[in-house]
Structures are given as structure tokens and as C-alpha cells.
Amino acid sequence: MPTHFRALTAAVLAALAVEIALLGWLSVAAS
Amino acid sequence: LTAIDWIVLCGTVLAIVALGLWKTRKKTTTDSYLRGEGERFFTIGLSIMATQASAITFLSTPGQAYEDGLGFIQFYFGLPIAMVLLAWFVVPIYRKLNVYTAYQYLEERFDRKTRRLAAILFLISRGLAAGLSLYAPSLVLSAVLGWPLQLTNLAMGLLAILYTVSGGTKAVSVTQTWQMGIMLAGMALAFLFVLHSLPTDLGGMIKVAGALGKMHAVEITPRLDQRYTLWSGLIGGLFVALAYFGTDQSQVQRYLGGETLAQSRMGLLFNALIKVPMQFLILMVGIAVVVFHQFEKPPMLFNSIAESEARQSPAAAAKLDDLQRRFDANFQTKRAAVDALLGGSQQARAQVLQSEMQERSLRKEARALVRENAPKGQAADSDSIFLSFVLKHFPPGLVGLLLAVIICAALSATASALSALGTTSVVDFLNPQDKLLAARWCTVFWGLVAMSFAAFATLLDNLIQAVNILGSIFYGPMLGVFLAGWILTRVRGTAVFIATLLAQALVVALWLGTSLSFLWYNVAGCAAVLVFSLALQAGMPAERECSPDQPQGESP
């Protein structure tokens, strides 16, 4: 598997984790 | 609508259609028609997104945020994971076999009957859903703008057929790139405009929305009866997305025509990166609208045509008047509480929430009254929220752009469905000499099926629900068949075929007999195919040429 593809996959999953964390934080902070 | 709106609307929609026709005018080959060819990841990614984004996405989603807040975003949490799994493991299989449809893979892996079963399930569910993707926006456009329903259906259907028949998959992806651009730009402008119209800033908006209980995006407690939680989103959403993007030809077709394997894969990952933020943007438009309506009184009912129909009955009119009085008084109380909240009062929070609950219950009562007293076949009140807001508050030009967003979405979802239906009919069933000509006729045929379904949908209220449910009922077992192919190397065609029929029966039983959230049907249906096919295969005599520990004989 090409290296850039692994890096892109890691970026996609990291972005998802960050999005969920931010939305979770927003849920708590705004209510 | 003003003249500027008509110019923006028609100009945008027709220019994109013309572009699709122009770009594919000369060199439409069988390959470019059936599967597309030489696509870059950017086009693939946008095309995947435009296929999923139907008009109802843009009409209903802001309305959903208006009513229930951000919770719906959780449905998309499983999607990026599904994209990664598909990009790593599934796209290479399809590309290696050089297939035109996902169902061709099933014959390579199992047998012809399994391929045909999956292709038939696809043709039925997608064929009807294509009708719905025309009908649903037409219904709302006719409710809010008073456009003639059948004419709107006809115009959108014919436009979609025109460029899909002309250029096939290639024309669909060319137009979808631009359509998706318009959709994203339109929604971003809509959000900025509503935000700009608020008497408070972004911080104030979030504070008010939070007090209204609309900012609860993530529900960590696992609850089976609640439709969207972090867990149903991650697990259920993963299964839905695997089924939809991995086995539904209208999506598979979008990435099969990648220039290289890497471009196809990156197209999926591009979708994985953009999807959650895009849905968040659409939901935030709804949040901005609900906050706007804390300062300016919202209508009690958004579908004013349905309301005036219901008011024909004097008894209903009197009850609606009474509800309206209570609604107005409640709004004043809430307005004062919101001002106090923004002034820094923490006690006001409880009052805001209480008044919001009161408003929701009054609106619910009013909607029930309208449902009882208006004729059937009305657009849902919550689906009319966003469009009625746009018409009332947006400046000329922007109204036209937002209508273009909705029509682009309807065209893009319909065109990719027609293109996939045409390809599947030709490749999986007819297999004629002149595939290109046959595919064009099949696309026309499915376009006519979709348009006729849209034309008669008003009469068949229950059928619409059935089509919506049909999709979620078929997806689990459909994913099960493919997963069995991908991971259960010992299972053969007959076992998986019977297992699929059994799993389908099980999902129907679950739907009729339990109150399980629909996201879980996919998990159950898929798991059932895997378990049943393993059990059935264990009880069947091993097929000589397929058994891994037998010599392979003459087979290649």
C-alpha cells in the first residue's frame, strides 16, 4: 500500500475523531 | 419570485445541463456511458456526494435541526470509517475484476442466481426511490411556491433524462461536480445570510440554541429506542454506509470509472473528509433559522397551503385560532426570556426551554389538526420550514440560488439513479450486442418509470412510506451477500442465496414485530446473512472444484 494512501487514511480517521470530540464538546458547552 | 430569481434559477440549472451535454457531445463510448472513464478523485468525490444529496437533504435537514437540533449529525459518524474500509478492501476487488456493476462481482464470486437476486433488489428499490427523488421536492415546491406539482415533476424528470441519456455516467459526473459546487456555495451563503440577519453574533446564536436544547449533537448513552446516538451512528451508520456505497450501483458506478485505482480510492476518502462538515453546515442553517425565530415570530404552521385547506372546516379554523392565540402569547414570554438570557441572566435559561417545549406542543397539536382536516398528500410541515423561510426573508437573487440548490440536488440524485439503473439492466440482465444503444433505451425506460411513480405518488400516500422503508429493509441483507463474498471464503452461491432470502424474511419480521430503530435493521439483516450462510454451507456437501483442500483440476 503506498505511503501517501496510509497517511491519507490516518488523516481521515483523525479528522473524524476530532469532529466527534468537537461536537461532543459543543453539546456540553452549549447546554 | 422576482425576475432576478428566475434568471439565477434557470440560468444555473440549465447552464449545468448544457455543460453536461456539451462535454459529452462527441465521444460517448460504451465504457464512458456505462461506467465513466478517466475520472479524477475530485470529480469522483463530488459526484459521490451529489448522488447522496437529494433535494430532500436540503429541504428536510434544516427543518430537522429546527425541530430536534443537531443530533442527526451522528448518523454520518460511521460514514468515514466505511469509506476507509471500502477504499482499502473493496475498490481493488471491483477494479481487478474490471466490472461495470457491483452485481457482476457476485457472479464471479458465487453464481448467476445470487447476482440476479441482488440486481433485482437494486432495480426495485432504486427505481422507486428515483421516483421519490423527483416527487418529494416537487411536493414541497408546489406547497410553498404554488408551482403545479405534475409540471414540476415532468420538467425535472425530462431534464434528468435528457443529459443522462445523452452522455451516461460521464455526463452525470460532469454535471454533478458543478451541481455539488452550487449546493455547497448556496448553503454556505444561506448560513452567512441568516447569521448576518440575527440581532446577536455567532456566540449569542449558540447560547440561545443551547438554551433551546438544539445544540445536543452527541448522545453518549447507548439507547436502542433513540434513533440517533453516538453508537447507532458509528455502528448502524457504518453498516448503512457500507451497504450504500459498497453495494448500491448508483454509488459504485461513481467510483468504478476512476482514472486509476488510487483516484477511485481517493474519491471515497475525499467524501469521508467532507461529509460530516457538510452535514454540520446544513444543520447549522436550521439552527440559525430557529434562533432567528426567537427574535421574529415564526409561523405556527409552515405549510400555509395545507393550513388554509384545513381551515375550510369551521370547527378546525376555530381550534387553530385558539392555538394561534396561545402560540402568540407563548412567543412573547419566550422572547422576553431570550433577551434576559442574552443579557446574562442564568435563570432565564429554564424559562426559554419551557417556552420552547410549550411552542413545540402547540405546533404538534396544530399539525395534528391540519392532518385530520386537510386532504391527503400534503408536504410535511417540517419539510416546508426552510423553503418558506428562504422565500420570506432572503433577498432577490439568493432565493433563486437556493431554489437552484434544491433543483440541482433533485437532478443529481435522479440522474445517477437513472444511469445506474440503465447500466444494471443492460449488464446484469439484457446483455445485448449494442450495449450503448440498449443502455440509452433502458435509461429512458427507468426515467419514465420514475416520472410515472412521481405522477401517481400523490394518490399513494402509504406507498411513499413503503418506498422509504423498502430501502432500509433491503440494505442489510444486500450488504450481507457482499460481505459473505469478501470475507467468508468457504461459503458458496446456493448457501448465500438461501441465507439472503431467510435474512430478508427476518428483517421484515423485525420491522413488523418490533420498534427497533431502522439503523439496526441493517446490522441485523447483514449479520443474519453471514450466520445463515455459514450454517447452510456447513450442512452442504463441499463442491469439488471449490473446496480449498481439493486439487484444482483443470480450472484456471
Side-chain angles (χ1 to χ4, degrees):
Chain A
M1 195 62 62
T3 321
H4 74 274
F5 188 60
R6 283 171 196 274
L8 197 58
T9 304
V12 164
L13 294 177
L16 175 66
V18 170
E19 283 157 4
I20 294 177
L22 279 176
L23 287 166
W25 170 78
L26 192 63
S27 306
V28 177
S31 52
Chain B
L1 281 193
T2 64
I4 300 175
D5 291 321
W6 279 111
I7 293 169
V8 172
L9 168 62
C10 297
T12 312
V13 171
L14 295 178
I16 293 176
V17 170
L19 187 83
L21 291 171
W22 177 255
K23 285 244 178 182
T24 52
R25 70 194 183 283
K26 278 183 195 148
K27 39 179 186 181
T28 298
T29 62
T30 307
D31 260 24
S32 78
Y33 191 96
L34 295 178
R35 179 167 66 178
E37 56 188 3
E39 307 297 356
R40 309 280 296 170
F41 80 93
F42 187 70
T43 309
I44 295 172
L46 289 177
S47 182
I48 286 172
M49 289 167 71
T51 296
Q52 193 181 20
S54 67
I56 216 69
T57 309
F58 295 96
L59 290 168
S60 290
T61 312
Q64 193 157 10
Y66 188 103
E67 313 233 295
D68 300 324
L70 291 177
F72 180 54
I73 191 85
Q74 296 168 107
F75 175 68
Y76 293 95
F77 286 172
L79 186 145
I81 304 172
M83 294 297 105
V84 166
L85 291 174
L86 292 172
W88 276 77
F89 303 110
V90 177
V91 182
I93 300 178
Y94 290 156
R95 297 270 318 193
K96 196 173 162 199
L97 291 172
N98 196 24
V99 292
Y100 287 86
T101 73
Y103 317 111
Q104 263 181 300
Y105 159 74
L106 293 179
E107 181 165 351
E108 299 274 343
R109 173 64 181 81
F110 296 120
D111 51 23
R112 181 157 291 179
K113 63 179 181 296
T114 308
R115 168 187 183 179
R116 291 263 164 97
L117 175 66
I120 283 176
L121 291 183
F122 167 73
L123 290 179
I124 296 172
S125 58
R126 187 53 57 194
L128 295 179
L132 212 54
S133 66
L134 287 175
Y135 174 71
S138 301
L139 188 62
V140 181
L141 290 167
S142 74
V144 181
L145 286 156
W147 288 0
L149 178 69
Q150 300 299 357
L151 197 66
T152 315
N153 271 334
L154 194 73
M156 292 200 298
L158 286 178
L159 270 183
I161 292 177
L162 176 70
Y163 68 84
T164 312
V165 169
S166 154
T169 309
K170 186 81 187 169
V172 171
S173 53
V174 168
T175 45
Q176 279 181 328
T177 314
W178 287 94
Q179 284 162 339
M180 198 64 227
I182 295 292
M183 293 182 220
L184 285 173
M187 290 315 273
L189 277 176
F191 176 70
L192 292 175
F193 179 77
V194 186
L195 186 64
H196 179 72
S197 317
L198 295 178
T200 176
D201 57 4
L202 185 63
M205 182 190 108
I206 289 174
K207 193 172 182 181
V208 174
L212 292 165
K214 309 288 183 193
M215 295 303 287
H216 194 70
V218 182
E219 174 58 56
I220 295 177
T221 321
R223 290 173 56 178
L224 280 182
D225 59 331
Q226 198 161 334
R227 183 168 278 188
Y228 305 116
T229 66
L230 176 62
W231 312 108
S232 76
L234 276 174
I235 303 168
L238 168 68
F239 276 76
V240 175
L242 276 178
Y244 179 50
F245 294 99
T247 77
D248 190 306
Q249 179 62 18
S250 68
Q251 281 294 357
V252 174
Q253 193 177 40
R254 309 275 79 75
Y255 56 80
L256 283 182
E259 187 182 23
T260 58
L261 172 62
Q263 294 293 335
S264 294
R265 286 173 146 173
M266 276 161 60
L268 285 170
L269 295 184
F270 180 77
N271 180 38
L273 269 180
I274 307 285
K275 191 73 196 185
V276 175
M278 182 186 107
Q279 288 298 326
F280 181 70
L281 170 71
I282 301 174
L283 286 165
M284 282 308 280
V285 173
I287 297 289
V289 171
V290 78
V291 172
F292 179 90
H293 276 321
Q294 304 312 308
F295 301 98
E296 188 172 316
K297 189 162 68 72
M300 180 169 68
L301 292 162
F302 294 91
N303 185 344
S304 51
I305 292 183
E307 185 185 352
S308 50
E309 297 265 9
R311 279 179 177 277
Q312 302 286 324
S313 144
K319 280 186 194 161
L320 282 170
D321 286 339
D322 176 51
L323 285 171
Q324 185 70 55
R325 269 191 296 278
R326 286 157 64 196
F327 186 89
D328 294 350
N330 183 64
F331 175 77
Q332 294 308 332
T333 317
K334 188 162 59 140
R335 175 73 220 263
V338 167
D339 283 340
L341 178 77
L342 287 173
S345 157
Q346 278 307 307
Q347 289 87 351
R349 281 187 80 88
Q351 181 61 51
V352 170
L353 186 61
Q354 198 192 336
S355 304
E356 168 67 13
M357 289 319 204
Q358 175 70 8
E359 181 177 314
R360 288 179 71 162
S361 101
L362 288 168
R363 183 172 281 131
K364 196 173 161 192
E365 225 175 297
R367 283 176 179 171
L369 254 176
V370 169
R371 259 199 307 280
E372 276 167 35
N373 291 284
K376 291 232 173 292
Q378 305 285 344
D381 197 56
S382 58
D383 288 348
S384 312
I385 293 177
F386 180 55
L387 195 55
S388 66
F389 180 86
V390 166
L391 288 178
K392 209 165 163 192
H393 299 284
F394 277 27
L398 197 52
V399 175
L401 183 65
L402 265 294
L403 288 173
V405 166
I406 289 159
I407 295 192
C408 280
L411 290 181
S412 72
T414 309
S416 47
L418 297 185
S419 167
L421 289 162
T423 298
T424 304
S425 308
V426 167
V427 173
D428 293 305
F429 291 97
L430 303 175
N431 207 16
Q433 278 292 312
D434 187 349
K435 286 200 173 67
L436 181 57
L437 183 69
R440 284 190 156 134
W441 280 111
C442 285
T443 309
V444 172
F445 168 77
W446 283 108
L448 295 177
V449 168
M451 282 164 68
S452 334
F453 177 72
F456 293 111
T458 332
L459 309 171
L460 309 162
D461 225 23
N462 297 327
L463 192 65
I464 297 170
Q465 280 184 26
V467 171
N468 279 326
I469 295 164
L470 215 62
S472 46
I473 284 185
F474 284 170
Y475 267 157
M478 184 79 113
L479 176 60
V481 184
F482 280 85
L483 262 186
W486 297 329
I487 60 180
L488 303 180
T489 47
R490 282 170 178 273
V491 170
R492 300 286 144 202
T494 304
V496 89
F497 183 81
I498 300 171
T500 309
L501 295 176
L502 290 175
Q504 196 60 73
L506 176 82
V507 174
V508 172
L510 279 178
W511 166 53
L512 294 175
T514 68
S515 61
L516 203 64
S517 164
F518 81 97
L519 278 176
W520 295 106
Y521 294 160
N522 299 284
V523 185
C526 174
V529 173
L530 298 181
V531 172
F532 292 160
S533 59
L534 276 174
L536 286 164
Q537 191 64 50
M540 281 178 183
E543 291 164 51
R544 257 188 85 85
E545 75 275 23
C546 302
S547 171
D549 31 35
Q550 296 285 334
Q552 285 293 305
E554 306 259 325
S555 58

